Each structure stands twice: as C-alpha cells, then as structure tokens.
Amino acid sequence: MTLILVKEHNGVQFTTSTLVSPRETWGKKIDFLLSVIGFAVDLANVWRFPYLCYKNGGGAFLVPYLFFMVIAGMPLFYMELALGQYNREGAAGVWKICPIFKGVGFTVILISLYVGFYYNVIIAWALFYLFSSFTGELPWVHCNNTWNSPNCSDLWAFNNSLNDTHKRGVLHLQDSEGIADLGLPRWQLTSCLAVVIVVLYFSLWKGVKTSGKVVWITATMPYVVLTVLLLRGVTLPGAMDGIKAYLSVDFLRLCEPQVWIDAATQICFSLGVGFGVLIAFSSYNKFSNNCYRDAIITSSINSLTSFFSGFVIFSFLGYMSHKHSVPLDKVATDGPGLVFIIYPEAIATLPGSSVWAVIFFIMLLTLGIDSAMGGMESVITGLMDEFKFLHKHRELFTLIHRCVHLPHHCSGGIYVFTLLDHFAAGTSILFGVLIEAIGIAWFYGVDRFSDDIEEMIGQRPGLYWRLCWKFVSPCFLLFMVVVSFATFNPPNYGTYTFPIWANMIGWCLAISSMTMVPLYAIYKMCTLPGKFCDRLAYAITPEHEHHLVDNGEVRRFTVSCSSLLT
C-alpha cells in the first residue's frame, strides 16, 4: 500500500495509489503579478487604445471605458483569478464544479492556440526590425534597397492608404498580391521566428518556476522604454499638439452608440479574460493568496498603461503631423501599421535614429513575449491538467506546441495575420466569457462561488461583486455578442479586400472554438448513467458531490422531472 497526500480545500485525503506530487506554485508572489500584468499589457495597449481614445472624443472616451471597466472588466477579471486559484486546475479542469460546462474550457484553450499561431509572428517581425536597426542608417529611410518596389518613393504622400510601399517592403509585402499569393517562406523571417520559438520554449519548459523569472525583464522593460520614449517625444516640435488632440474632450461624442461599443470591446479584449490565461496563472497560487487584491491591482495597471502609452504614441504622431504639414488624422492609425510603418518612419527622422529604433523594437519584443508566454501557458496547463499523462512530458509537449505555425513568414504573411486576428479571438472569445459567467453565476451559483472565495481569503465578496457576476456582467456580455454579430464587417488590409473563401475559412475558425460548448455538453449527457433527469443532475453538480446525486440530494436541481414534462 502506497501512502499519498492529495491536498484538498477541506483537508487531507489518504488513498492507495501511486505517488502524486503537489501542484507547482510561483516562486514569489511578485512572479505571479508580473506574469498577469505582462500578459494583459500587450501590443494592443500601444496600437489600439490610444487610437480609439483619439477617434472617440479624446478624454470623453474615458467615461464609457471606465464605466465598462467597473461593471464588467474588473468583475470578470476577479472571477477568473478566483476560479483558477480555488480549483487549482487549468481552463478545462476547473469545470469539475459544473461538468456540463467543461466545453467552454476547451473553447478558450482553442482560442489561445489559434492566437498563438499568429501572435508569435508579430514578435518575429519585431525581432527582424530590431536586427535591421543595427545600421548607421535605417533601411526603410530610402529606396536603394534590393527589396524596394519600382514604385518606391522617398517622399511621404498622404492619401487614403499612405504611400508606404517601400516601408512595407521591409517585410516584402509588395511581393504578394493577396492571401491567395503568399509566396515562399523568407529565410530572414523564418530565422527570426525560430529564435522566438527557442526563447519562448526555454521560458516555459519547466513551468512557472522559469517563466516567473523571465517576466522580471519582459514585464518591466516596456515601462522603462515607454518612459524614455515619452521624455524624447515631448521635446519634438508638434508633440504637444498631438497630445492635446489625444486628450481633447468632446462630450457630444458620447451620444454616438459606436463610442460605447468601442469602449466595451476594448475592455473585453484588453484585460485578457476569456483566454484561460488568468485561470492557468492563478491555479499556481497558494490557496490563501488574496486574489481580490491582485485583481484590483493588475486590472488597474493595465488600464493606466493603456492611457500612458497614448502620450508616447501621440507625441510622435504630432511630430509627424508637424513635420509633413498634414492633419493629424492623416497619420493617426491603429494596428500593425502604427508600430511597423508610422512609428518607424517617425523614429527614422530623429538624430541617432538607429538607437531609438533599437529601443522601440526591444519594447515591442518584451510586450509580445510575455503575452505569448501567457497564451502558451493557458494551452499547456489546460491540456496537461485534463490529460494527466502529459505531466511527464511537459518539455516535449511544449516543444511540439511551439513548432506549429502557419505561413506568416512568407511575403504575404500579413494577410494570414489579418484574417486570423479578425476571426480567431473576436466573437468567439466574447461567447466563451459569456458561457463562463453563466456557468458560474447561474449553475454553480454566486453564493457557492462567494463561499469559495471566503474560504481562500477570509473575506466574502460584497454585494456589488455578486450583483455584477449574477446580472450585470452576463447581460453586458450577451449585449456584446449580439453587437459583434450585428456589426460584423469583413476583414481588409488597406485597400485589399479578402475573397469570400477566405472569410468562410475565418468563420469556420471562429465557429470551431464556439462549438466546443454544445458538443461537450452533448457528449457529457450521452455518457452519464441513468435517465435524462439523472444525467442532467450529474452534469450540473460538482464532481465531488456526485454521491449526493446517488442519494437523491441534488442542491442545484430543484425542478422535478414531472414538472419538466408538464
């Protein structure tokens, strides 16, 4: 007989089995905080929020943004941290509290997997630009490079799409006509991608003990670089005009529905809920860790970082507007075009441009790496906790997971990126978080969830949090899902419009993750024993309470079968 100790929330259990090692925990509390901050603060904080703020009334945009942060962002953030910490499992395993909802765990794992397919390539692009910056003169300044197209011009011409042929030529985009013409892989980008894969692999192969140390650099470096860039940016001519445009308050814009939709969408995606990462990270916490305080701190830092980065971005955009004597809205943009076209062009006009370029692309690297680490950990932890045999092969599993990539390193890789970015984590992630919120609030129960939190931190969530979890957040998410479908626009890159078949592939990608919810629910109902009502009782009852179902005591199954049939 072999004695093992399996730590549970209510005591110690003895059984006859093989030795089970205790779950790994973070080396230090700060490792966890930096990991969560590093994941949540990503490239979108730099290329998305400042532009939305400028486009939607400047400082007035903060009103809907903070409103949705309070009623939905923080409660959902807190919910995922508490869910993972109490159950000490990944995104799928935590649904032992309500087995019929385990499909949503596979939904978020699949979403993280899809995002990982293209997110690492953004880091590879940043690395390629970084290597290209170690020259006396930045290569995208002039048109005497071998990769420049015949239409290359050294002059900036501001029109509807920006005359950026030679700037995008750094990635050889001009060699591709669209997603149907990706071209051959380029060895430079392939090499950079290989370096990124190696860095990420050795950051994660031993679990949170190694990743928790890497984030000391990757999570803190962006703040140092942003501060340095801001100090340089505010000294440039026209910088203050850019900052004034960023902060200008136009409260009349609050009457426009699109402003509120943009704010709600930004909250959903900027905090990182719905990827399974917060659940995975918090599952490695000590059971008594104060996850409430962590949720407040990290979500607040995320929003403040977004706001702070706007000063950096718009100081340089104001400078570009002044330098080329064009309106600010001609240079203000978001997405990859901002960090790989507009900003490098601005940096290229500065004295010591190579140094500033190196600093900027180091920031992009660190922003990308810790976010990519979070997405990878969500997949690894989620699947390892569900399929226990993978625990013995974490290093191999991590390596295989990292080696799966789509052809973004071809000349037309930007088109693959744009398509995946539009579909992989859009409507599907809103749907996933909605199902999470419903499962916890309405099936597991807000009171039971609050009891779990009180057991961990000794403090029961207040009425505000319980109301948000029960009513406000689910209604908010349902509204966002409906809006997402109603306002859907096909993806495009500049003037390029994706063909119908590409959009169909994109929708198949999005639907493939969402279908995990009904498919697993059907599978669970078909494999459980007994009549329909018995199966449903088992499916909505926590696994450790299934013996109550055997005795006819079902706490969350108060409607009798006879009433269901009448």
Side-chain angles (χ1 to χ4, degrees), residues 345-379:
E345 168 71 16
I347 289 175
T349 63
L350 301 176
S353 58
S354 295
V355 175
W356 292 109
V358 168
I359 292 174
F360 176 71
F361 288 114
I362 286 177
M363 180 190 73
L364 292 189
L365 278 175
T366 54
L367 280 173
I369 285 175
D370 45 18
S371 295
M373 285 167 53
M376 289 174 60
E377 191 61 58
S378 170
V379 177

Side-chain angles (χ1 to χ4, degrees), residues 127-139 354 357-358 362:
L127 184 62
F128 180 61
Y129 269 84
L130 176 64
F131 289 150
S132 301
S133 300
F134 286 100
T135 59
E137 187 177 32
L138 295 175
S354 295
V358 168
I362 286 177

Side-chain angles (χ1 to χ4, degrees), residues 243-262:
I243 292 176
K244 288 177 182 177
Y246 171 54
L247 296 177
S248 62
V249 178
D250 182 5
F251 284 110
L252 293 177
R253 297 297 303 278
L254 296 181
C255 299
E256 301 176 13
Q258 189 59 44
V259 174
W260 293 81
I261 291 173
D262 284 347

Side-chain angles (χ1 to χ4, degrees), residues 532-534 536-537 540-541 554-561 564:
F532 175 80
C533 290
D534 296 326
L536 183 58
I540 65 174
T541 301
V554 188
R555 300 179 182 179
R556 270 166 292 281
F557 194 52
T558 57
V559 181
S560 67
C561 290
L564 285 174

Side-chain angles (χ1 to χ4, degrees), residues 102-341:
K102 182 176 281 190
V104 74
F106 292 113
T107 292
V108 299
I109 289 173
L110 204 53
I111 291 172
S112 289
L113 183 65
Y114 291 159
V115 172
F117 285 159
Y118 67 85
Y119 201 87
N120 293 345
V121 181
I122 304 176
I123 309 173
W125 290 344
L127 184 62
F128 180 61
Y129 269 84
L130 176 64
F131 289 150
S132 301
S133 300
F134 286 100
T135 59
E137 187 177 32
L138 295 175
W140 52 85
V141 172
H142 47 69
C143 287
N144 60 0
N145 301 289
T146 57
W147 39 259
N148 289 130
S149 73
N151 298 324
C152 178
S153 171
D154 288 329
L155 299 175
W156 263 54
F158 291 91
N159 48 42
N160 291 333
S161 59
L162 286 177
N163 179 18
D164 54 15
T165 337
H166 69 290
K167 301 169 187 65
R168 289 190 286 184
V170 177
L171 297 176
H172 283 239
L173 183 60
Q174 73 278 4
D175 294 338
S176 173
E177 297 296 328
I179 195 167
D181 177 33
L182 296 178
L184 297 174
R186 297 187 53 238
W187 70 266
Q188 298 94 332
L189 292 179
T190 304
S191 300
C192 290
L193 181 59
V195 172
V196 171
I197 291 172
V198 170
V199 170
L200 290 173
Y201 173 72
F202 284 106
S203 298
L204 288 168
W205 70 321
K206 292 296 184 182
V208 295
K209 294 295 185 184
T210 53
S211 64
K213 300 298 179 286
V214 174
V215 292
W216 280 75
I217 298 175
T218 57
T220 57
M221 180 66 73
Y223 294 96
V224 176
V225 175
L226 282 172
T227 303
V228 171
L229 290 174
L230 178 61
L231 293 176
R232 180 66 180 96
V234 295
T235 65
L236 299 173
M240 297 313 297
D241 293 332
I243 292 176
K244 288 177 182 177
Y246 171 54
L247 296 177
S248 62
V249 178
D250 182 5
F251 284 110
L252 293 177
R253 297 297 303 278
L254 296 181
C255 299
E256 301 176 13
Q258 189 59 44
V259 174
W260 293 81
I261 291 173
D262 284 347
T265 304
Q266 179 64 15
I267 284 295
C268 286
F269 296 120
S270 66
L271 289 177
V273 294
F275 289 94
V277 178
L278 301 179
I279 294 174
F281 279 162
S282 62
S283 72
Y284 295 108
N285 277 333
K286 295 179 180 178
F287 185 71
S288 59
N289 175 66
N290 192 334
C291 55
Y292 168 70
R293 181 179 57 198
D294 295 345
I296 299 297
I297 292 174
T298 51
S299 58
S300 299
I301 289 176
N302 175 274
S303 297
L304 289 172
T305 303
S306 297
F307 184 63
F308 176 65
S309 66
F311 290 90
V312 181
I313 296 300
F314 274 87
S315 64
F316 278 86
L317 292 181
Y319 162 66
M320 290 298 292
S321 173
H322 173 83
K323 182 176 179 62
H324 296 285
S325 301
V326 295
L328 185 66
D329 59 2
K330 293 294 184 181
V331 293
T333 185
D334 65 342
L338 175 64
V339 296
F340 291 115
I341 297 174

